[in-house]
Amino acid sequence: MSVIDEVKQKLDIVEVVSQYVPLTKAGRNFKARCPFHEERTPSFFVFPERQSWHCFGACGTGGDVFSFVMKQQGMDFGEALRLLAQQAGVTVPSRLERDTRKDERERLYQVNEAAAKFFHDQLLHSPAATRARDYLSGRAFTADTVTAFQLGYSPDSYDALKSHLQERGFTEKELVDAGLLVETDDGRTRDRFRNRLTFPIHDARGHTTGFGARVLDDSLPKYTNSPQTLVFDKSGTLYAIDLATSAIRKQDQVIIVEGYMDTITAHQNGFNNVVASMGTAITERQVTTLKRLTRNIALALDADAAGEEAMLRCVDYENILDAEIQVIILTGGKDPDDVIRQDAQKWQELVKSAVPVVDFTFSTKTARLDMTTARDQSRAVHELAPIIARMKDAVRRDHYIRRLETLTKTRYNVIEGIVKEFMVPSKQSKPKREPTSRTAQLLLSNPLEEYCLRLLLHHPELISMSEGLLPEYFQDSQNREIFITWQQVKDLPSLKDNLDPALWEQVESLVSVDVIENQIERKLDNVILRLREQYLRDQKEERATAFAAVAAEEGAGADLAKLDNEDINENTQLQQVFEQEGRSNRSRKGWT
Ligand SMILES: [Zn+2]
């Protein structure tokens, strides 16, 4: 459960509101003179069952406990959450604290960018960079490519970069923090990259996060890269992701290669959906990043080097992706760079004939074994069973057990038994809390609101269609906050920057579930209509209970007549919603 949900569960809105406003009982609910506008007779109500509040007077607005405190105290969501968490005795984990290092991070991007520019200028103009330039022309890289990838040359000097950047106002500490300088034992610093070809590395948003560097002679290691810094983490990095994003989306496929050269050659030949992993094995973080762009991942990695552990992990990634990972099979020890430079057409064919990684593992494993011997049959079963056991999908498991049955001529149930031995016993499924009422559901999640946000987050272009969608339609403050911020920023990274970290979990859970990509606009139309209906119905219900309580107490008066009028108004609006729904149901069938 998220911190936000925990706070919601532990606090009672009546107690919280009554700290600020003297509430009096009105039937099952509570009323008060509205704290947000001047009035003589109460039109502010708190509804314990729904854990909501509403002002039926001049404000005409309402919400949950968070929105009340935000409005009452003039706080933003994060401040309200922290205040309420304290009252509820819930600790907000420190990882959810505001990013105080944002400025520091920003500064590191700037240092890296300045360094990239320096190296690039050196490559283009320095007489010392002749060898680097020759190397690149030997690779047949065009000037456009060199510019697009901002390739560079780091001079053979201990302080060329350092003095250049210090002149530009960067401190030695910032250069060390960015990994551009190394500290020596005597406490001095010197340039990390010397006499190397440099490859600036960017994140998906184009920030320069670090560098890869290649030697220009035969010395080892051939490649080095920036150390782990505040902005650079190899395991989450994909080289050229900034240049590949739109092609990956458009082609609905990403190809992962191993090296910088493979990537650059691919892009120069028009294969722009290619990125490089920063090592041989891909990581979960890389897969998670890519999943937002496509489910179709193909690996063009040296399969022998990838090893068994990597293959096992691939199955886990397939579970995350809910799709198969493909392998592009390269023969004769060639890498994508070689293949593409020799014959781009051939590369395309190889991509087309990619095979599922599990199939590939099955054939490489069994190719080396003699399937007529009991010993090798047993080896095949025991080596492949752990892979099958990792699969979440029972149908897939069945498929591969049957394949193994054919390959090894071993009986199905024998293989199945061995697979079961490798299966991690599924965690005792937590007893699901049965929502006792709509209130309980409202407290925890609101599927309609979440569905609407998913559509909007997956399709930023739809925000222009959401004019009829009011923030009030979102009962849940989390969703309301996300919606309001999304209207302003329209891209995920900025959304995260602008939201309190406590809301990231909700954003992540929203984007992690895909939407089915058809008739998106119709779906949005429909869900907005539904939200409006839900909002109006809730209003009507709240108004009715408020009305009943006041009527019982005071008899009909002027204010009640006003409430009554509102009710008529709401009925008219609901009527409009139904008519609109009727129309859209007649013209388009159903809503999914
Ligand atoms: Zn009010």
Side-chain angles (χ1 to χ4, degrees):
M1 195 191 311
S2 77
V3 176
I4 298 172
D5 287 336
E6 209 182 331
V7 170
K8 269 193 169 186
Q9 278 213 325
K10 290 203 172 150
L11 288 179
D12 179 16
I13 191 166
V14 176
E15 277 172 34
V16 173
V17 173
S18 58
Q19 293 168 24
Y20 305 96
V21 188
L23 291 173
T24 51
K25 199 132 177 60
R28 283 174 294 154
N29 308 311
F30 295 84
K31 63 174 181 176
R33 291 217 302 263
C34 179
F36 309 127
H37 82 276
E38 278 298 320
E39 64 177 2
R40 271 186 295 165
T41 48
S43 53
F44 175 89
F45 284 81
V46 176
F47 305 95
E49 280 169 27
R50 283 175 190 281
Q51 290 289 302
S52 69
W53 61 275
H54 200 98
C55 168
F56 294 103
C59 305
T61 185
D64 59 15
V65 69
F66 293 104
S67 60
F68 175 80
V69 171
M70 285 163 75
K71 204 167 158 67
Q72 170 68 30
Q73 297 288 84
M75 286 178 167
D76 65 24
F77 183 85
E79 290 166 332
L81 169 67
R82 280 161 188 83
L83 178 77
L84 291 173
Q86 207 178 6
Q87 287 181 23
V90 173
T91 330
V92 179
S94 55
R95 70 186 159 83
L96 297 184
E97 285 312 327
R98 264 162 227 269
D99 185 2
T100 47
R101 305 187 76 180
K102 198 173 160 191
D103 294 342
E104 213 179 314
R105 229 187 285 272
E106 200 55 51
R107 191 71 181 156
L108 293 191
Y109 294 141
Q110 288 168 9
V111 188
N112 281 325
E113 210 176 301
K117 195 171 175 310
F118 172 74
F119 292 149
H120 187 59
D121 287 343
Q122 293 292 312
L123 176 74
L124 296 185
H125 307 298
S126 163
T130 312
R131 190 152 184 192
R133 287 193 292 268
D134 289 348
Y135 177 82
L136 292 173
S137 46
R139 287 271 174 167
F141 286 159
T142 64
D144 283 349
T145 298
V146 171
T147 310
F149 285 87
Q150 211 185 8
L151 301 182
Y153 171 72
S154 56
D156 196 4
S157 150
Y158 283 108
D159 61 359
L161 179 71
K162 180 169 145 184
S163 50
H164 173 83
L165 291 179
Q166 282 186 327
E167 276 166 32
R168 269 151 196 80
F170 294 105
T171 64
E172 189 173 24
K173 180 177 183 304
E174 285 169 337
L175 294 172
V176 172
D177 289 348
L180 292 166
L181 298 186
V182 282
E183 285 173 305
T184 53
D185 293 338
D186 56 4
R188 306 225 304 233
T189 59
R190 55 175 174 76
D191 288 7
R192 177 184 297 272
F193 303 114
R194 295 182 315 279
N195 192 26
R196 277 161 194 267
L197 192 60
T198 58
F199 307 84
I201 298 166
H202 300 96
D203 64 15
R205 303 159 68 185
H207 294 131
T208 315
T209 54
F211 290 87
R214 186 195 194 284
V215 294
L216 290 160
D217 50 27
D218 292 329
S219 60
L220 288 171
K222 206 149 90 172
Y223 286 95
T224 49
N225 46 248
S226 298
Q228 174 112 8
T229 71
L230 188 59
V231 297
F232 184 73
D233 176 8
K234 214 170 110 174
S235 74
T237 298
L238 290 156
Y239 180 61
I241 185 70
D242 56 321
L243 299 174
T245 297
S246 76
I248 294 171
R249 274 223 176 87
K250 222 176 279 169
Q251 296 172 42
D252 193 17
Q253 185 189 38
V254 59
I255 294 166
I256 304 180
V257 296
E258 256 170 61
Y260 303 111
M261 293 299 171
D262 298 324
T263 316
I264 299 173
T265 301
H267 280 246
Q268 180 166 298
N269 285 274
F271 306 117
N272 293 318
N273 63 335
V274 173
V275 296
S277 64
M278 302 292 298
T280 41
I282 55 169
T283 67
E284 185 174 332
R285 280 184 55 202
Q286 291 168 336
V287 171
T288 313
T289 304
L290 291 170
K291 191 189 164 193
R292 291 179 197 132
L293 304 172
T294 181
R295 283 182 191 286
N296 301 310
I297 295 182
L299 307 175
L301 306 178
D302 183 345
D304 290 334
E308 274 167 46
E309 182 52 31
M311 289 300 154
L312 279 178
R313 254 178 288 151
C314 271
V315 178
D316 294 339
Y317 300 153
E318 290 179 328
N319 293 334
I320 296 173
L321 287 168
D322 201 13
E324 284 178 332
I325 293 176
Q326 309 276 316
V327 178
I328 296 166
I329 300 166
L330 302 170
T331 48
K334 284 184 182 160
D335 53 30
D337 181 35
D338 301 323
V339 177
I340 298 169
R341 276 192 294 132
Q342 276 165 22
D343 185 355
Q345 183 73 37
K346 170 85 179 157
W347 169 252
Q348 262 171 313
E349 283 162 21
L350 288 175
V351 170
K352 267 197 205 115
S353 50
V355 297
V357 67
V358 177
D359 292 11
F360 174 74
T361 312
F362 268 59
S363 36
T364 47
K365 281 258 188 253
T366 50
R368 279 168 290 182
L369 300 173
D370 176 4
M371 283 308 161
T372 60
T373 68
R375 187 200 56 201
D376 281 6
Q377 286 168 354
S378 169
R379 268 181 68 182
V381 171
H382 280 93
E383 284 179 14
L384 293 169
I387 294 177
I388 302 175
R390 292 284 254 263
M391 296 173 185
K392 243 183 0 195
D393 180 356
V395 178
R396 273 191 89 198
R397 283 201 304 269
D398 175 63
H399 171 92
Y400 285 105
I401 293 175
R402 277 186 285 121
R403 172 166 304 184
L404 208 46
E405 185 182 19
T406 317
L407 276 170
T408 61
K409 297 168 195 74
T410 306
R411 284 209 310 275
Y412 186 98
N413 58 349
V414 174
I415 301 173
E416 194 186 24
I418 295 168
V419 167
K420 286 219 169 100
E421 284 171 27
F422 286 103
M423 280 169 77
V424 185
S426 66
K427 281 178 216 138
Q428 269 293 308
S429 51
K430 285 181 222 146
K432 268 200 193 131
R433 282 195 325 161
E434 283 301 320
T436 47
S437 65
R438 169 121 192 281
T439 312
Q441 282 174 351
L442 267 180
L443 277 175
L444 292 177
S445 77
N446 187 317
L448 206 53
E449 291 180 9
E450 287 172 3
Y451 180 71
C452 180
L453 284 177
R454 280 214 305 277
L455 285 174
L456 291 171
L457 294 180
H458 279 279
H459 290 273
E461 75 280 4
L462 291 183
I463 199 79
S464 61
M465 278 184 59
S466 66
E467 276 158 14
L469 188 57
L470 303 179
E472 284 81 17
Y473 292 2
F474 295 92
Q475 281 288 311
D476 184 319
S477 284
Q478 296 185 68
N479 296 335
R480 195 182 284 187
E481 269 310 287
I482 293 169
F483 172 67
I484 292 171
T485 314
W486 185 243
Q487 280 185 310
Q488 293 155 6
V489 298
K490 304 177 190 75
D491 72 277
L492 279 177
S494 325
L495 180 69
K496 277 185 101 181
D497 280 351
N498 284 281
L499 280 179
D500 190 272
L503 288 162
W504 293 358
E505 201 174 323
Q506 176 78 345
V507 171
E508 265 153 23
S509 95
L510 288 168
V511 292
S512 71
V513 182
D514 279 340
V515 294
I516 297 163
E517 298 286 337
N518 68 339
Q519 299 186 297
I520 295 292
E521 295 183 6
R522 174 172 78 92
K523 285 177 183 162
L524 183 69
D525 267 351
N526 268 314
V527 74
I528 293 176
L529 216 53
R530 291 257 188 141
L531 280 172
R532 186 166 142 81
E533 183 193 338
Q534 177 185 290
Y535 173 75
L536 291 170
R537 276 187 193 284
D538 286 352
Q539 291 276 290
K540 197 167 139 64
E541 236 177 272
E542 286 179 350
R543 195 182 304 283
T545 53
F547 181 96
V550 176
E553 204 177 299
E554 297 168 3
D559 287 340
L560 290 182
K562 192 183 74 192
L563 285 180
D564 212 14
N565 271 336
E566 286 289 322
D567 204 24
I568 290 164
N569 179 29
E570 229 143 59
N571 278 335
T572 320
Q573 288 189 47
L574 263 178
Q575 184 67 34
Q576 284 166 0
V577 169
F578 295 145
E579 280 169 9
Q580 223 176 319
E581 277 183 347
R583 272 200 303 280
S584 52
N585 284 343
R586 274 194 300 280
S587 55
R588 314 126 155 191
K589 249 172 114 193
W591 179 86
T592 45

